[in-house]
Amino acid sequence: MSTDASPPRHLEGVLADLATVIDSRKAAKGGDPQTSYVARLLHQGPDAFLKKIGEEATEVVMAAKDADHGADRQRIVAEVADLWFHTMIALSYYDLAPADVIGELDRRAGTSGIEEKSLRKARRREGES
């Protein structure tokens, strides 16, 4: 974890505030695709914002690989911010919020990743039966 800078506000507050802005760009709330990038992505639908999520995830990987060879690690931060932003557009589109994700992470806290993954696989198998 970086010790260079502390967050200006509580993480949930920052994400909740951004989610409110993104949500306000929905067509039903007056979002205009001609004047708002978020409204345009929401208007274009899942193919548009899911493509952006894939692009941003790739850019995170590339930034991390570059950092392994001496590039500025802050580029990773910038690319992850872009990834989170576009992922939040997807959450909004599906009427979900950052609090839902934080709740899921909180639920998983204290559970080993291997155990948690195994539990998810078991639940999927039960749902298929």
Side-chain angles (χ1 to χ4, degrees), residues 12 91 96-113 115-117 119-121 123-124:
E12 288 179 62
L91 288 172
L96 297 166
D100 297 313
V101 177
I102 291 168
E104 177 63 13
L105 291 171
D106 189 43
R107 184 192 66 76
R108 294 179 186 185
T111 305
S112 87
E115 179 184 343
E116 200 281 328
K117 186 173 181 179
L119 288 171
R120 278 189 283 145
K121 283 183 180 179
R123 285 188 197 118
R124 268 196 302 265

Side-chain angles (χ1 to χ4, degrees), residues 5 11 14 21-22 24 36 39 46 58 66 69 72 75 77-78 84 89 91 95 104 106 113 116 126:
L11 177 63
V14 172
V21 171
I22 290 170
S24 76
S36 167
T58 299
D66 289 347
H69 298 283
D72 185 5
R75 187 164 154 245
V77 173
W84 286 12
I89 293 171
L91 288 172
D95 294 323
E104 177 63 13
D106 189 43
E116 200 281 328
E126 288 173 8

Side-chain angles (χ1 to χ4, degrees), residues 38-112:
V38 172
R40 185 176 315 137
L41 285 177
L42 290 169
H43 175 75
Q44 291 173 341
D47 285 349
F49 59 76
L50 295 175
K51 179 180 177 187
K52 285 301 295 180
I53 290 169
E55 290 171 6
E56 298 302 342
T58 299
E59 290 175 12
V60 169
V61 171
M62 291 172 18
K65 290 290 197 177
D66 289 347
D68 285 341
H69 298 283
D72 185 5
R73 294 180 324 143
Q74 282 304 116
R75 187 164 154 245
I76 299 169
V77 173
E79 297 301 346
V80 169
D82 290 345
L83 176 61
W84 286 12
F85 175 76
H86 288 89
T87 302
M88 289 179 63
I89 293 171
L91 288 172
S92 178
Y93 182 87
Y94 294 107
D95 294 323
L96 297 166
D100 297 313
V101 177
I102 291 168
E104 177 63 13
L105 291 171
D106 189 43
R107 184 192 66 76
R108 294 179 186 185
T111 305
S112 87

